[in-house]
Amino acid sequence: FGFCILLGLVLVYLLQRQAALRGLKRQLFEAQRAKAAAEQEAAAQVFLALPGLAQFRDALAMEYRRASTSGTHLAEVLLKTPNSSPDALGRMAKVLRCMVRHGEALYRISDKAIAVILPGMQLRDAVSFAGQLESLSGMPEGELEVILTAYPDEVSSLAELDGKLRETVESGAV
């Protein structure tokens, strides 16, 4: 008789333990889901917190004047992702922030594009920068479109530099 009672107590203990483990697994799953949602929201906020198109144009004009008067180079990199969400662009902005040097800046051109102004960078260096970015961005291949413009290698005036951006923005491609 004592053995049956002991067996019953062990069985009850095992059932309670199984229920407790199931509850802990459910809590862990919910916490992981909440963490993933919070990370997505934080990444989206990083993208949305970038300066906009008006600030980009002001900075581009200022950097162009600086480059033209001092005889240095200037590169502009436009990164378009037509099918990406703001959190994917936010993750890419985090990668970009790690890659840019002092004096280089990121801008949110539209809901699907980021621009980077690279003062003092020649076209070949900008191409290398874009290649590094494509490999580090975490975007699927073909998802990220990179448009490079360099002064004085490709354009000779601010109007041409801004015109290339306007063509891209106004064509609906961004």
Side-chain angles (χ1 to χ4, degrees):
F1 179 72
F3 179 73
C4 289
I5 292 176
L6 181 62
L7 188 62
L9 289 174
V10 168
L11 186 61
V12 167
Y13 166 75
L14 290 175
L15 289 173
Q16 286 178 340
R17 183 174 174 201
Q18 183 71 21
L21 285 174
R22 208 174 302 126
L24 289 173
K25 284 181 183 178
R26 185 175 34 250
Q27 288 176 352
L28 179 63
F29 177 72
E30 290 170 0
Q32 287 174 336
R33 192 173 50 204
K35 178 184 172 214
E39 286 174 350
Q40 282 183 334
E41 180 63 28
Q45 290 303 320
V46 166
F47 174 66
L48 296 173
L50 290 174
L53 184 59
Q55 292 94 339
F56 170 75
R57 290 199 173 159
D58 291 343
L60 184 62
M62 181 184 68
E63 290 298 338
Y64 171 79
R65 282 187 214 101
R66 192 176 292 157
S68 64
T69 57
S70 66
T72 60
H73 293 269
L74 173 65
E76 166 195 352
V77 180
L78 182 64
L79 307 159
K80 298 188 318 184
T81 57
N83 300 324
S84 291
S85 61
D87 61 299
L89 286 163
R91 287 191 299 273
M92 187 171 64
K94 285 181 184 179
V95 169
L96 275 167
R97 280 190 177 158
C98 294
M99 291 178 66
V100 297
R101 301 173 298 193
H102 181 69
E104 300 172 344
L106 304 174
Y107 299 90
R108 180 174 49 96
I109 300 301
S110 73
D111 290 339
K112 302 290 181 182
I114 295 175
V116 186
I117 297 176
L118 305 166
M121 191 173 286
Q122 295 179 6
L123 181 60
R124 63 180 161 75
D125 296 330
V127 169
S128 174
F129 176 84
Q132 287 178 343
L133 177 63
E134 284 183 288
S135 65
L136 295 174
S137 70
M139 298 273 184
E141 194 169 322
E143 179 78 18
L144 181 64
E145 184 182 345
V146 179
I147 300 169
L148 295 168
T149 307
Y151 167 82
D153 301 324
E154 292 183 325
V155 295
S156 59
S157 69
L158 178 59
E160 288 181 55
L161 196 58
D162 196 37
K164 281 189 127 183
L165 174 70
R166 284 183 195 270
E167 287 174 15
T168 306
V169 171
E170 291 172 358
S171 70
V174 177

